[in-house]
Amino acid sequence: MKKLEQLYEGKAKKVFATDVENVCIVDYKDDATAFNGLKKGSIAGKGVVNNRMSNFLFKLLEAKGVPTHFVEEISDRETAVKKVEIVPLEVIIRNIAAGSFSKRYGVEEGTDLAVPTIEFSYKNDDLGDPLINDYHALALKLATWEEIDTIKKYAFKVNEVLKEYFDKIGVILVDFKLEFGRDRSNGGKIILADEISPDTCRLWDAVTKEKLDKDRFRRDLGNVEDAYNEMFARLGLDK
Ligand code: UDP
C-alpha cells in the first residue's frame, strides 16, 4: 500500500490518502492537547502507544463482534483504516464517576455508578463539544434513530469487552470516549472508528488507583510518559 497526500491533520493524528480505494493511513503524533485545545504539550512516545494499543483493542473487539475501521498496522505509528464518514458525536461510557460527570452532578470521583451510563457530545470545537441527547442528535440530523440504536448497542458491548480485558491486567476502566463512522463502501454501515487509548479512556491501577491515562497531562500530575508506557507494558506490547 502506498501512502499518498495528507488529507487532514487533527490534534493527535494525521490522515493520508492511499492507492487503495476507501482506505486511509492514520499517523499518530506525540502532540497532546486538553480543554478544547487551550492546553498544549507533547508526550514522548505517545503516538506509538496509542497506535499499537488502539490496534490491539480494535482486533479484540472485532473478534467479539464489534465491527471497526481497522485494516492493518503499517508501522509503530501508522495504521491503515477504512475511510468512513465520522458521525459527529462523541460517545462516552462511564462505569465510575470522574471528570465532567463528577463536576456536573456533584459526585465524588471514584464513586461506583449503579449501572454503566452513556452520553453524547456534539463534536463541534467552536461550541466546545456540548452535551447533547439522542433526540437533539436526531433533530439536528447528526444521525438516524437506527444509527443511534446501533451506536448504543456497540458502545455498551465495547464496555463489556474492555472492562473484562482490563480487569485481567489489573486496570479499572473508569470511562472512555468512542467515535463511530459510516462505511460508505458498505451501505453506510456503522463501524467503530478513531482510537481507544490512554488519550480517550480513564484507566486506574486496580490496587493503587494510580491514574494511567491523559489525566496525568490534563492535571499536571507528572510521570505522564510513564503512565502511557505502563499501559503499553500491561498489554504486553513492549515485547
Ligand atoms: N474524552 C475524550 N475526548 C474528549 C472528551 C472526553 O477522549 O474530547 C474522554 C476522556 O478521556 C474520559 C471520558 O471521555 O475518558 C469522559 O470525559 P469527561 O466527560 O469526564 O471530560 P473531561 O473531564 O475529560 O473534560
Side-chain angles (χ1 to χ4, degrees), residues 90 92 94 98-101 119 129 175-177 199-202 218:
E90 295 196 338
I92 294 169
R94 302 178 188 271
S100 68
F101 185 97
E119 73 204 42
D129 297 342
D175 58 29
F176 58 95
K177 184 261 303 182
D199 271 14
T200 62
C201 303
R202 285 197 169 92
R218 292 190 191 99

PDB file of all heavy atoms in Angstrom, residues 90 92 94 98-101 119 129 175-177 199-202 218, ligand 1:
ATOM      1  N   GLU A  90     -19.456  12.424  20.099  1.00  0.00           N
ATOM      2  CA  GLU A  90     -18.527  11.723  20.971  1.00  0.00           C
ATOM      3  C   GLU A  90     -19.400  10.891  21.897  1.00  0.00           C
ATOM      4  O   GLU A  90     -20.305  11.421  22.544  1.00  0.00           O
ATOM      5  CB  GLU A  90     -17.684  12.721  21.776  1.00  0.00           C
ATOM      6  CG  GLU A  90     -16.793  13.549  20.869  1.00  0.00           C
ATOM      7  CD  GLU A  90     -15.680  14.259  21.603  1.00  0.00           C
ATOM      8  OE1 GLU A  90     -15.802  14.472  22.824  1.00  0.00           O
ATOM      9  OE2 GLU A  90     -14.699  14.613  20.937  1.00  0.00           O
ATOM     10  N   ILE A  92     -19.720   8.695  25.109  1.00  0.00           N
ATOM     11  CA  ILE A  92     -18.979   8.483  26.351  1.00  0.00           C
ATOM     12  C   ILE A  92     -19.705   7.471  27.230  1.00  0.00           C
ATOM     13  O   ILE A  92     -20.898   7.613  27.504  1.00  0.00           O
ATOM     14  CB  ILE A  92     -18.769   9.816  27.092  1.00  0.00           C
ATOM     15  CG1 ILE A  92     -17.840  10.707  26.250  1.00  0.00           C
ATOM     16  CG2 ILE A  92     -18.186   9.599  28.489  1.00  0.00           C
ATOM     17  CD1 ILE A  92     -17.740  12.123  26.706  1.00  0.00           C
ATOM     18  N   ARG A  94     -19.501   5.470  30.939  1.00  0.00           N
ATOM     19  CA  ARG A  94     -18.901   5.596  32.272  1.00  0.00           C
ATOM     20  C   ARG A  94     -19.293   4.423  33.163  1.00  0.00           C
ATOM     21  O   ARG A  94     -20.464   4.028  33.176  1.00  0.00           O
ATOM     22  CB  ARG A  94     -19.381   6.875  32.967  1.00  0.00           C
ATOM     23  CG  ARG A  94     -19.083   8.134  32.187  1.00  0.00           C
ATOM     24  CD  ARG A  94     -19.623   9.353  32.907  1.00  0.00           C
ATOM     25  NE  ARG A  94     -19.506  10.533  32.067  1.00  0.00           N
ATOM     26  CZ  ARG A  94     -18.440  11.332  32.033  1.00  0.00           C
ATOM     27  NH1 ARG A  94     -17.401  11.099  32.812  1.00  0.00           N
ATOM     28  NH2 ARG A  94     -18.409  12.383  31.235  1.00  0.00           N
ATOM     29  N   ALA A  98     -16.219  10.394  37.330  1.00  0.00           N
ATOM     30  CA  ALA A  98     -14.958  11.137  37.213  1.00  0.00           C
ATOM     31  C   ALA A  98     -15.197  12.339  36.300  1.00  0.00           C
ATOM     32  O   ALA A  98     -16.259  12.447  35.675  1.00  0.00           O
ATOM     33  CB  ALA A  98     -13.850  10.252  36.634  1.00  0.00           C
ATOM     34  N   GLY A  99     -14.218  13.220  36.247  1.00  0.00           N
ATOM     35  CA  GLY A  99     -14.205  14.321  35.276  1.00  0.00           C
ATOM     36  C   GLY A  99     -15.475  15.146  35.270  1.00  0.00           C
ATOM     37  O   GLY A  99     -15.985  15.539  36.310  1.00  0.00           O
ATOM     38  N   SER A 100     -15.987  15.390  34.059  1.00  0.00           N
ATOM     39  CA  SER A 100     -17.126  16.301  33.907  1.00  0.00           C
ATOM     40  C   SER A 100     -18.388  15.745  34.580  1.00  0.00           C
ATOM     41  O   SER A 100     -19.234  16.520  35.033  1.00  0.00           O
ATOM     42  CB  SER A 100     -17.389  16.572  32.428  1.00  0.00           C
ATOM     43  OG  SER A 100     -17.854  15.422  31.778  1.00  0.00           O
ATOM     44  N   PHE A 101     -18.522  14.419  34.669  1.00  0.00           N
ATOM     45  CA  PHE A 101     -19.694  13.820  35.323  1.00  0.00           C
ATOM     46  C   PHE A 101     -19.691  14.163  36.815  1.00  0.00           C
ATOM     47  O   PHE A 101     -20.708  14.572  37.379  1.00  0.00           O
ATOM     48  CB  PHE A 101     -19.661  12.295  35.115  1.00  0.00           C
ATOM     49  CG  PHE A 101     -20.873  11.560  35.637  1.00  0.00           C
ATOM     50  CD1 PHE A 101     -21.910  11.215  34.778  1.00  0.00           C
ATOM     51  CD2 PHE A 101     -20.963  11.188  36.972  1.00  0.00           C
ATOM     52  CE1 PHE A 101     -23.025  10.512  35.246  1.00  0.00           C
ATOM     53  CE2 PHE A 101     -22.075  10.490  37.442  1.00  0.00           C
ATOM     54  CZ  PHE A 101     -23.102  10.155  36.585  1.00  0.00           C
ATOM     55  N   GLU A 119     -23.491   8.808  27.281  1.00  0.00           N
ATOM     56  CA  GLU A 119     -23.874  10.182  26.946  1.00  0.00           C
ATOM     57  C   GLU A 119     -23.211  10.558  25.637  1.00  0.00           C
ATOM     58  O   GLU A 119     -22.259   9.908  25.201  1.00  0.00           O
ATOM     59  CB  GLU A 119     -23.481  11.155  28.076  1.00  0.00           C
ATOM     60  CG  GLU A 119     -22.012  11.415  28.174  1.00  0.00           C
ATOM     61  CD  GLU A 119     -21.567  11.870  29.572  1.00  0.00           C
ATOM     62  OE1 GLU A 119     -22.032  11.313  30.582  1.00  0.00           O
ATOM     63  OE2 GLU A 119     -20.712  12.757  29.613  1.00  0.00           O
ATOM     64  N   ASP A 129     -17.777  21.154  22.086  1.00  0.00           N
ATOM     65  CA  ASP A 129     -18.333  19.794  22.199  1.00  0.00           C
ATOM     66  C   ASP A 129     -19.421  19.685  23.280  1.00  0.00           C
ATOM     67  O   ASP A 129     -19.266  18.961  24.267  1.00  0.00           O
ATOM     68  CB  ASP A 129     -17.221  18.775  22.533  1.00  0.00           C
ATOM     69  CG  ASP A 129     -16.165  18.678  21.442  1.00  0.00           C
ATOM     70  OD1 ASP A 129     -16.435  19.102  20.310  1.00  0.00           O
ATOM     71  OD2 ASP A 129     -15.074  18.176  21.745  1.00  0.00           O
ATOM     72  N   ASP A 175     -13.936   5.332  32.514  1.00  0.00           N
ATOM     73  CA  ASP A 175     -14.806   5.862  31.448  1.00  0.00           C
ATOM     74  C   ASP A 175     -13.999   5.939  30.159  1.00  0.00           C
ATOM     75  O   ASP A 175     -12.779   5.755  30.180  1.00  0.00           O
ATOM     76  CB  ASP A 175     -15.402   7.234  31.830  1.00  0.00           C
ATOM     77  CG  ASP A 175     -14.344   8.293  32.127  1.00  0.00           C
ATOM     78  OD1 ASP A 175     -13.236   8.215  31.563  1.00  0.00           O
ATOM     79  OD2 ASP A 175     -14.626   9.197  32.930  1.00  0.00           O
ATOM     80  N   PHE A 176     -14.679   6.176  29.054  1.00  0.00           N
ATOM     81  CA  PHE A 176     -13.981   6.304  27.771  1.00  0.00           C
ATOM     82  C   PHE A 176     -14.880   6.954  26.745  1.00  0.00           C
ATOM     83  O   PHE A 176     -16.096   7.022  26.920  1.00  0.00           O
ATOM     84  CB  PHE A 176     -13.480   4.946  27.254  1.00  0.00           C
ATOM     85  CG  PHE A 176     -14.549   3.909  27.074  1.00  0.00           C
ATOM     86  CD1 PHE A 176     -15.149   3.702  25.841  1.00  0.00           C
ATOM     87  CD2 PHE A 176     -14.978   3.128  28.149  1.00  0.00           C
ATOM     88  CE1 PHE A 176     -16.142   2.738  25.667  1.00  0.00           C
ATOM     89  CE2 PHE A 176     -15.970   2.170  27.983  1.00  0.00           C
ATOM     90  CZ  PHE A 176     -16.550   1.980  26.745  1.00  0.00           C
ATOM     91  N   LYS A 177     -14.241   7.413  25.673  1.00  0.00           N
ATOM     92  CA  LYS A 177     -14.941   8.077  24.568  1.00  0.00           C
ATOM     93  C   LYS A 177     -14.762   7.276  23.286  1.00  0.00           C
ATOM     94  O   LYS A 177     -13.652   6.831  22.992  1.00  0.00           O
ATOM     95  CB  LYS A 177     -14.350   9.481  24.391  1.00  0.00           C
ATOM     96  CG  LYS A 177     -15.025  10.343  23.358  1.00  0.00           C
ATOM     97  CD  LYS A 177     -14.367  10.408  22.015  1.00  0.00           C
ATOM     98  CE  LYS A 177     -12.949  10.879  22.003  1.00  0.00           C
ATOM     99  NZ  LYS A 177     -12.387  10.957  20.644  1.00  0.00           N
ATOM    100  N   ASP A 199      -5.402   8.383  25.771  1.00  0.00           N
ATOM    101  CA  ASP A 199      -5.922   9.726  25.459  1.00  0.00           C
ATOM    102  C   ASP A 199      -7.437   9.765  25.591  1.00  0.00           C
ATOM    103  O   ASP A 199      -8.012  10.838  25.803  1.00  0.00           O
ATOM    104  CB  ASP A 199      -5.590  10.107  24.007  1.00  0.00           C
ATOM    105  CG  ASP A 199      -4.237  10.792  23.856  1.00  0.00           C
ATOM    106  OD1 ASP A 199      -3.440  10.750  24.810  1.00  0.00           O
ATOM    107  OD2 ASP A 199      -3.984  11.367  22.780  1.00  0.00           O
ATOM    108  N   THR A 200      -8.089   8.637  25.392  1.00  0.00           N
ATOM    109  CA  THR A 200      -9.551   8.631  25.276  1.00  0.00           C
ATOM    110  C   THR A 200     -10.250   7.799  26.367  1.00  0.00           C
ATOM    111  O   THR A 200     -11.470   7.662  26.336  1.00  0.00           O
ATOM    112  CB  THR A 200      -9.978   8.088  23.892  1.00  0.00           C
ATOM    113  OG1 THR A 200      -9.530   6.730  23.771  1.00  0.00           O
ATOM    114  CG2 THR A 200      -9.391   8.911  22.759  1.00  0.00           C
ATOM    115  N   CYS A 201      -9.452   7.223  27.276  1.00  0.00           N
ATOM    116  CA  CYS A 201     -10.030   6.432  28.379  1.00  0.00           C
ATOM    117  C   CYS A 201      -9.494   6.961  29.707  1.00  0.00           C
ATOM    118  O   CYS A 201      -8.384   7.487  29.758  1.00  0.00           O
ATOM    119  CB  CYS A 201      -9.563   4.977  28.326  1.00  0.00           C
ATOM    120  SG  CYS A 201      -9.903   4.084  26.821  1.00  0.00           S
ATOM    121  N   ARG A 202     -10.249   6.756  30.778  1.00  0.00           N
ATOM    122  CA  ARG A 202      -9.658   6.875  32.118  1.00  0.00           C
ATOM    123  C   ARG A 202      -9.370   5.464  32.599  1.00  0.00           C
ATOM    124  O   ARG A 202     -10.274   4.616  32.611  1.00  0.00           O
ATOM    125  CB  ARG A 202     -10.598   7.593  33.095  1.00  0.00           C
ATOM    126  CG  ARG A 202     -10.663   9.084  32.855  1.00  0.00           C
ATOM    127  CD  ARG A 202     -11.252   9.852  34.038  1.00  0.00           C
ATOM    128  NE  ARG A 202     -11.042  11.278  33.851  1.00  0.00           N
ATOM    129  CZ  ARG A 202     -11.926  12.092  33.256  1.00  0.00           C
ATOM    130  NH1 ARG A 202     -13.091  11.621  32.835  1.00  0.00           N
ATOM    131  NH2 ARG A 202     -11.659  13.371  33.107  1.00  0.00           N
ATOM    132  N   ARG A 218      -3.514  16.407  31.718  1.00  0.00           N
ATOM    133  CA  ARG A 218      -4.526  17.442  31.949  1.00  0.00           C
ATOM    134  C   ARG A 218      -4.329  18.113  33.310  1.00  0.00           C
ATOM    135  O   ARG A 218      -4.478  19.311  33.454  1.00  0.00           O
ATOM    136  CB  ARG A 218      -5.940  16.838  31.941  1.00  0.00           C
ATOM    137  CG  ARG A 218      -6.431  16.311  30.622  1.00  0.00           C
ATOM    138  CD  ARG A 218      -7.936  15.976  30.716  1.00  0.00           C
ATOM    139  NE  ARG A 218      -8.413  15.232  29.566  1.00  0.00           N
ATOM    140  CZ  ARG A 218      -8.575  13.902  29.551  1.00  0.00           C
ATOM    141  NH1 ARG A 218      -8.339  13.180  30.637  1.00  0.00           N
ATOM    142  NH2 ARG A 218      -8.999  13.301  28.465  1.00  0.00           N
TER     143      ARG A 218
HETATM  144  N1  UDP B   1     -12.801  12.279  26.353  1.00  0.00           N
HETATM  145  C1  UDP B   1     -12.101  12.294  25.158  1.00  0.00           C
HETATM  146  N2  UDP B   1     -12.169  13.401  24.364  1.00  0.00           N
HETATM  147  C2  UDP B   1     -12.913  14.496  24.686  1.00  0.00           C
HETATM  148  C3  UDP B   1     -13.622  14.478  25.904  1.00  0.00           C
HETATM  149  C4  UDP B   1     -13.538  13.357  26.717  1.00  0.00           C
HETATM  150  O1  UDP B   1     -11.436  11.327  24.808  1.00  0.00           O
HETATM  151  O2  UDP B   1     -12.934  15.468  23.908  1.00  0.00           O
HETATM  152  C5  UDP B   1     -12.741  11.089  27.230  1.00  0.00           C
HETATM  153  C6  UDP B   1     -11.934  11.351  28.486  1.00  0.00           C
HETATM  154  O3  UDP B   1     -10.593  10.947  28.313  1.00  0.00           O
HETATM  155  C7  UDP B   1     -12.624  10.471  29.502  1.00  0.00           C
HETATM  156  C8  UDP B   1     -14.085  10.395  29.021  1.00  0.00           C
HETATM  157  O4  UDP B   1     -14.048  10.779  27.653  1.00  0.00           O
HETATM  158  O5  UDP B   1     -12.081   9.167  29.461  1.00  0.00           O
HETATM  159  C9  UDP B   1     -15.022  11.264  29.800  1.00  0.00           C
HETATM  160  O6  UDP B   1     -14.535  12.574  29.817  1.00  0.00           O
HETATM  161  P1  UDP B   1     -15.287  13.738  30.621  1.00  0.00           P
HETATM  162  O7  UDP B   1     -16.627  13.969  30.004  1.00  0.00           O
HETATM  163  O8  UDP B   1     -15.253  13.422  32.071  1.00  0.00           O
HETATM  164  O9  UDP B   1     -14.481  15.028  30.250  1.00  0.00           O
HETATM  165  P2  UDP B   1     -13.200  15.711  30.884  1.00  0.00           P
HETATM  166  O10 UDP B   1     -13.333  15.642  32.358  1.00  0.00           O
HETATM  167  O11 UDP B   1     -12.052  14.920  30.322  1.00  0.00           O
HETATM  168  O12 UDP B   1     -13.292  17.085  30.326  1.00  0.00           O
END
